[in-house]
Amino acid sequence: MGDIMKKTKEKIDQIEEKAEEKKSFDNMIDTKDIQNIDSNSKQNTIRELPVIPTKNLVLFPHMVVPWIIEDAKFIKLVDDALATDRTFVMVAQKPKEEGEKEKEDNDSNESERKKLDLYEIGTVALILRMAKEGESQAKLIIQGVTRVRILEITNHEPYLKAKVEPVQDIVETDLETQALTTNVRQVFSRILELAPHIPNELGGVIMSVEDPGVLADIVISHLNISVAEKQSVLESIRVKERLQKALKILTQQLEILELGHKIQSEVRHQMDRSQREIYLREQLKAIRKELGEAEDIAGEVEELKKRVEEKGLPDSAKQEVLREIERLARMHPASSEYTVSRTYIDWILDLPWNEIDEEQLDIKEAEKILDEDHYDLEKIKRRILEYLAVRKLKPDAKGPILCFAGPPGTGKTSLGRSIARAMGRKFVRISLGGVRDEAEIRGHRRTYVGAMPGRIIQGLKRAGVKNPIFMLDEIDKLGTDFRGDPASALLEVLDPEQNSTFVDHYLGVEFDLSHVIFIATANVLDSIPRPLLDRMEVLELSGYTIEEKLEIAKRYLIPRQLDAHGLSKKHLRFSPKALEHIISGYTREAGVRELERKIAAVCRAVALDIATGKSEKIIVKVKDLPKYLGPKRYEHEVAERTSIPGVATGMAWTPTGGEILFIEATSMKGQGKLILTGKLGDVMKESAQAALSYLHSNAKRYKVDEDIFSKIDIHIHVPSGAIPKDGPSAGVAIFISLLSLLRDKPVRADVAMTGEITLRGLVLPVGGIKEKVLAAHRAGIKEIILPKRNEADLSEIPESVRRALKFHLINNLSQAATVCFSKRKR
């Protein structure tokens, strides 16, 4: 900006020197193309120049300004001007409202100008510098040369051209002009002090300008005023009139700036006054304390102390909250610490220190409620009833923390609600999935901004009693990072010997959690830290059989979805075969969540039919399912998959229940290498190596050519390669698939197996028998091979499933081979 001001001053000096020598327009611009012109004749000073209309810019003579052009025709105009005398006329356009008010004129030329909404007076601009950026933009530095009057529009294409004549200033060198000049300088100097957007260097420029007309132009060009006001000054030919208009505008701008400065000063003064008031209040308190005068306690503080006395807090909590109330009484309400202190006191007084729900421990009623809410789960229900019976006989007994573990959708969370209903207690559920901050359990210390108690204390405040049923959902999904280990923080919460003195970091005082009954849920137990798992009694919920799912759907899912969709039994009914087909063909899960979603999909479709006028009752049959649910998603493909040698059916346990998996083996020419694929874990790879080694060492026993092992490479693959698989329980199935491959004999399609193997050919027990057997039953398997030492686990399998399957309990691999390659008895 300083460079521009310096250049402006230099140009002004040059122009003033030229003005003293020649006043004619042809000397202000390049006149090399005009010859034989009579300079004393007005007609000879008229020229035809290109015209650029502007909307937001009024160019004054002697001013140097940067300008950007993005219009293609104006860029051409600039190019043509640079090729000649580097000049064009810049004239402002009138606002639309002003242009619309213009009346028609008889003069055709003036009418043409008014149609374009152009002012009569413009300025000849001289291009000092140009820089192009591509073909669509040009950056210019232009200088105003002289005022001109537009006489006639001579051309419109490719850009405007007009005949213009120069306008000379009418100067009156009297005392009034001198006084106006002095006032303009003084007022503008004051504006420079208050307006941060105007450079201070401009003050030196206006003091050095002697021409009063140029002075008026300079000061007005730097003000943030409307185009109409600037144009009014530009059109003032008489210098005295121009100075008067400029002084009026400057005075208005000065008043605006002074008013803004006054408002800012008042706001700043008010802030200083508020801070001064706080300081004086603190001084007043100190003076009263020194004089021994008792300070009046505010009504709010009195009310808080009254609540403390009525609450019956423990001594430690009472002392802490009274101390905090005393601090609150010495604070100013506008202080940020006041809000923090008041929030802490409210938390202390809102907690249920002594509020207790009376238990209604009627064991028969509790059994009835559990049967109403859940089908089957007899083992789980019995353990819950035992738990309730002990609490009835010994109310102060510190019972174990129950943890319901099982696949999703098996009713773990709803069991907690049923226990709360059976005991007549409040139910509080907090989800621990994804929690990584220890402060979520123990709370934040009050030194932090936005500190709050942990979820345990928050849940107790919501319950309003100190003995609710507290459900810690998804406890297996707790995380750990730099903010601490929330699982370790739960060790104190879930220990009946310690939680009577639980201290939340925000409260800072002990709170008794021994009256709370904590129940946890988990899908898997492996991710729970051992010290935390040791504090809980695990009750495992396995997947449901098809028969159990049918009953659950009839008793709970269908009535719930009918009610949710505004339907009743008179509108919709599912046939038993259709329900069974939905379970087996459209879902594959241990729980019933997906089954409920499928039932909801059918209800939505029926609701649409009824809403569109179909009033007859709809009975959903097997043939109707594709219309509502689309094609069948799951097929029993065991027979097809095991119809060729090298494929055996294994059984696996997953966090969502049991699954069957296919072990595939194939061979190619090689040197005895074993290839394993399917995203197998280390333990499963070791099982495959053990199976191959055992078969190699006992080749004669199983009628396999011993030399074949050194001539081929064997590739073992477990499909669903994107899913990680691990564990030793696939050992038997891997051995049978290798034996089937090398003997070129397919395995029976209706047999599934599980078990860990040793290099001596022994079969060891594995876990998850119930889930694996139920999955095999769902897949249409008829016979199951299990380790002999898993015989006790058969008691957990429902009677209907045991009757539908034939179990082979084996001790070694020879027995497994006998079953897998024997002919099925019809």
Side-chain angles (χ1 to χ4, degrees):
M1 182 63 73
D3 293 341
I4 294 177
M5 293 296 102
K6 183 177 179 182
K7 183 179 292 186
T8 302
K9 189 175 183 306
E10 293 175 354
K11 292 295 179 181
I12 291 172
D13 294 339
Q14 293 175 7
I15 293 171
E16 288 180 344
E17 291 175 1
K18 291 182 179 180
E20 292 295 329
E21 298 174 358
K22 289 186 179 182
K23 297 292 185 178
S24 61
F25 173 66
D26 50 327
N27 285 336
M28 297 289 289
I29 59 176
D30 189 358
T31 58
K32 62 181 180 179
D33 294 329
I34 302 177
Q35 298 177 359
N36 302 322
I37 295 178
D38 184 3
S39 60
N40 295 324
S41 173
K42 177 181 177 182
Q43 183 179 1
N44 291 339
T45 62
I46 296 174
R47 293 193 59 195
E48 183 181 31
L49 290 177
V51 178
I52 295 183
T54 63
K55 293 183 179 180
N56 301 316
L57 177 63
V58 175
L59 180 65
F60 285 86
H62 322 305
M63 296 298 100
V64 177
V65 296
W67 195 35
I68 298 177
I69 297 178
E70 295 181 339
D71 194 324
K73 65 181 182 181
F74 290 159
I75 292 176
K76 177 173 175 53
L77 182 153
V78 171
D79 290 337
D80 293 344
L82 289 172
T84 56
D85 59 1
R86 306 174 70 89
T87 61
F88 60 90
V89 175
M90 182 177 290
V91 60
Q93 289 181 290
K94 297 179 182 179
K96 288 185 178 180
E97 295 78 9
E98 187 177 348
E100 290 171 357
K101 292 177 183 177
E102 293 285 349
K103 297 180 180 179
E104 290 295 331
D105 197 285
N106 294 329
D107 184 11
S108 60
N109 293 328
E110 186 174 359
S111 177
E112 183 70 13
R113 176 180 59 79
K114 290 182 178 180
K115 287 180 182 179
L116 296 173
D117 291 333
L118 299 179
Y119 284 101
E120 182 182 2
I121 301 297
T123 305
V124 174
L126 176 66
I127 302 173
L128 300 179
R129 186 177 300 174
M130 184 191 77
K132 276 192 177 181
E133 293 189 6
E135 296 296 325
S136 60
Q137 189 180 87
K139 294 183 178 180
L140 306 177
I141 295 179
I142 58 176
Q143 175 187 345
V145 177
T146 187
R147 288 173 170 81
V148 291
R149 179 179 286 107
I150 298 176
L151 301 176
E152 177 185 358
I153 302 296
T154 60
N155 199 2
H156 288 272
E157 296 296 334
Y159 44 77
L160 283 178
K161 284 188 176 182
K163 288 183 178 180
V164 299
E165 67 174 354
V167 178
Q168 301 297 334
D169 291 346
I170 301 175
V171 182
E172 299 175 60
T173 56
D174 55 4
L175 290 176
E176 185 179 356
T177 302
Q178 295 178 9
L180 287 171
T181 303
T182 302
N183 285 338
V184 166
R185 285 196 176 99
Q186 292 176 349
V187 175
F188 190 73
S189 298
R190 178 59 179 159
I191 288 177
L192 284 177
E193 297 175 1
L194 298 177
H197 64 279
I198 302 178
N200 292 328
E201 295 85 354
L202 200 57
V205 175
I206 63 170
M207 290 300 176
S208 63
V209 175
E210 296 180 357
D211 189 322
V214 174
L215 175 65
D217 291 345
I218 292 176
V219 296
I220 293 300
S221 66
H222 285 87
L223 294 182
N224 186 15
I225 57 178
S226 66
V227 171
E229 290 176 307
K230 288 186 177 181
Q231 183 67 30
S232 174
V233 175
L234 182 69
E235 292 179 351
S236 299
I237 306 304
R238 296 177 62 87
V239 173
K240 183 184 296 185
E241 180 185 355
R242 189 185 309 168
L243 288 169
Q244 290 172 344
K245 290 183 178 180
L247 183 59
K248 181 180 179 181
I249 294 172
L250 287 171
T251 304
Q252 292 175 347
Q253 293 297 309
L254 180 60
E255 289 178 356
I256 293 172
L257 291 172
E258 287 179 341
L259 181 60
H261 182 72
K262 180 181 178 182
I263 293 173
Q264 291 180 356
S265 299
E266 290 178 354
V267 172
R268 187 162 52 248
H269 177 70
Q270 289 176 0
M271 292 178 63
D272 294 340
R273 183 179 178 183
S274 177
Q275 294 174 353
R276 179 171 172 270
E277 183 180 348
I278 295 174
Y279 176 74
L280 291 176
R281 286 183 181 275
E282 293 298 326
Q283 280 189 329
L284 180 61
K285 291 179 182 179
I287 292 171
R288 286 181 175 178
K289 184 177 180 181
E290 291 294 327
L291 294 175
E293 297 178 357
E295 184 179 356
D296 294 335
I297 301 176
E300 183 179 10
V301 173
E302 290 181 353
E303 180 65 26
L304 290 175
K305 288 188 175 182
K306 183 179 178 181
R307 287 178 60 188
V308 171
E309 296 299 328
E310 295 175 350
K311 192 71 176 179
L313 299 174
D315 291 340
S316 60
K318 185 176 180 179
Q319 292 175 6
E320 181 66 23
V321 74
L322 286 175
R323 186 178 66 85
E324 196 66 26
I325 290 175
E326 291 297 332
R327 288 185 65 242
L328 186 72
R330 296 190 298 269
M331 295 180 189
H332 189 272
S335 171
S336 60
E337 284 294 324
Y338 183 91
T339 304
V340 173
S341 182
R342 179 56 196 267
T343 303
Y344 172 76
I345 295 171
D346 288 340
W347 267 105
I348 292 286
L349 296 179
D350 289 343
L351 287 177
W353 296 92
N354 299 301
E355 292 79 357
I356 295 179
D357 276 341
E358 295 185 5
E359 291 184 349
Q360 304 170 3
L361 289 177
D362 187 336
I363 303 302
K364 290 186 178 180
E365 182 65 21
E367 184 178 7
K368 179 182 177 183
I369 291 174
L370 290 173
D371 288 338
E372 285 178 358
D373 293 347
H374 299 85
Y375 177 76
D376 195 41
L377 303 178
E378 297 300 331
K379 182 179 178 181
I380 305 297
K381 291 178 183 177
R382 180 173 179 81
R383 180 62 187 89
I384 293 173
L385 293 175
E386 292 172 355
Y387 178 83
L388 298 179
V390 172
R391 291 195 64 89
K392 181 177 182 180
L393 298 177
K394 189 173 177 55
D396 59 345
K398 297 179 179 179
I401 309 298
L402 300 180
C403 178
F404 300 131
T410 51
K412 300 183 293 297
T413 305
S414 59
L415 275 171
R417 297 184 185 275
S418 298
I419 294 174
R421 191 157 73 95
M423 297 181 69
R425 288 197 184 190
K426 298 282 180 30
F427 179 78
V428 178
R429 172 188 169 274
I430 61 172
S431 177
L432 298 179
V435 172
R436 295 177 177 272
D437 191 352
E438 178 194 355
E440 294 286 340
I441 307 299
R442 291 187 179 274
H444 301 81
R445 301 188 186 277
R446 279 186 289 156
T447 54
Y448 297 107
V449 176
M452 292 184 65
R455 296 194 181 192
I456 304 297
I457 296 299
Q458 292 181 36
L460 288 171
K461 180 183 176 182
R462 290 198 305 271
V465 293
K466 64 183 298 185
N467 64 337
I469 304 291
F470 222 105
M471 173 69 76
L472 303 174
D473 216 0
E474 310 291 354
I475 199 171
D476 57 322
K477 297 176 179 61
L478 284 170
T480 302
D481 64 7
F482 66 93
R483 290 166 290 189
D485 183 5
S488 298
L490 281 175
L491 293 177
E492 179 186 4
V493 175
L494 300 183
D495 191 340
E497 301 296 332
Q498 302 178 28
N499 61 13
S500 60
T501 58
F502 174 73
V503 178
D504 185 277
H505 288 160
Y506 181 81
L507 300 181
V509 294
E510 295 180 355
F511 192 94
D512 186 3
L513 298 179
S514 61
H515 299 278
V516 180
I517 296 179
F518 288 99
I519 300 174
T521 69
N523 295 129
V524 294
L525 301 177
D526 297 340
S527 58
I528 303 176
R530 300 310 301 176
L532 182 59
L533 188 62
D534 183 61
R535 283 165 165 75
M536 301 184 292
E537 179 181 343
V538 178
L539 301 180
E540 295 191 7
L541 285 75
S542 56
Y544 295 113
T545 63
I546 293 179
E547 292 77 12
E548 290 170 343
K549 289 184 179 181
L550 281 172
E551 287 299 321
I552 292 172
K554 292 176 183 177
R555 297 187 186 188
Y556 306 106
L557 306 184
I558 293 177
R560 186 160 63 207
Q561 290 304 318
L562 288 177
D563 180 67
H565 292 84
L567 303 174
S568 63
K569 293 182 178 180
K570 68 179 182 179
H571 296 119
L572 173 64
R573 184 171 70 84
F574 289 84
S575 69
K577 287 291 184 182
L579 272 178
E580 185 176 347
H581 200 70
I582 292 174
I583 294 169
S584 61
Y586 290 90
T587 66
R588 182 163 290 178
E589 58 177 345
V592 291
R593 282 182 181 159
E594 185 64 21
L595 174 60
E596 185 169 11
R597 283 192 281 267
K598 297 301 180 184
I599 293 172
V602 176
C603 291
R604 287 195 298 270
V606 173
L608 177 61
D609 291 340
I610 294 175
T612 53
K614 297 181 181 179
S615 58
E616 66 273 9
K617 183 175 182 178
I618 297 176
I619 300 176
V620 179
K621 299 180 180 179
V622 175
K623 64 180 181 179
D624 302 321
L625 293 180
K627 179 177 71 173
Y628 296 119
L629 302 177
K632 191 175 180 181
R633 293 182 59 189
Y634 303 105
E635 296 287 348
H636 299 315
E637 54 180 352
V638 178
E640 179 183 346
R641 295 284 289 269
T642 59
S643 60
I644 60 174
V647 182
T649 305
M651 297 184 295
W653 179 91
T654 68
T656 59
E659 292 286 349
I660 64 168
L661 52 83
F662 299 97
I663 310 295
E664 300 178 351
T666 187
S667 63
M668 66 286 293
K669 288 184 179 181
Q671 299 177 351
K673 185 172 25 174
L674 177 62
I675 304 170
L676 301 171
T677 56
K679 204 170 186 181
L680 308 183
D682 292 340
V683 177
M684 198 167 183
K685 291 178 180 178
E686 292 168 358
S687 296
Q689 187 63 58
L692 180 61
S693 298
Y694 172 75
L695 184 57
H696 193 175
S697 61
N698 295 273
K700 289 184 179 180
R701 181 177 179 181
Y702 291 101
K703 300 179 181 179
V704 175
D705 183 7
E706 291 186 28
D707 298 332
I708 194 69
F709 291 96
S710 61
K711 299 177 181 178
I712 62 172
D713 289 340
I714 296 177
H715 185 174
I716 297 176
H717 177 68
V718 183
S720 299
I723 302 174
K725 311 168 191 73
D726 202 3
S729 61
V732 174
I734 294 174
F735 169 78
I736 294 300
S737 68
L738 291 172
L739 185 59
S740 170
L741 172 69
L742 297 178
R743 291 176 60 175
D744 196 25
K745 187 174 182 181
V747 182
R748 284 177 52 185
D750 59 345
V751 177
M753 61 209 76
T754 186
E756 182 180 359
I757 63 173
T758 70
L759 289 175
R760 295 177 295 159
L762 301 179
V763 179
L764 304 181
V766 293
I769 295 299
K770 181 179 179 181
E771 289 79 3
K772 293 175 180 178
V773 171
L774 292 179
H777 180 250
R778 288 196 299 266
I781 297 296
K782 301 300 181 184
E783 298 186 22
I784 304 291
I785 297 176
L786 296 177
K788 176 69 174 176
R789 291 164 61 181
N790 281 118
E791 184 175 5
D793 296 319
L794 295 178
S795 60
E796 299 180 358
I797 300 172
E799 180 64 28
S800 59
V801 177
R802 290 206 303 269
R803 288 197 304 267
L805 297 174
K806 181 178 180 180
F807 294 92
H808 300 276
L809 303 175
I810 62 172
N811 290 312
N812 54 63
L813 291 173
S814 298
Q815 296 172 333
T818 301
V819 175
C820 291
F821 296 105
S822 63
K823 293 183 179 180
R824 183 184 177 189
K825 296 182 180 180
R826 303 269 181 191

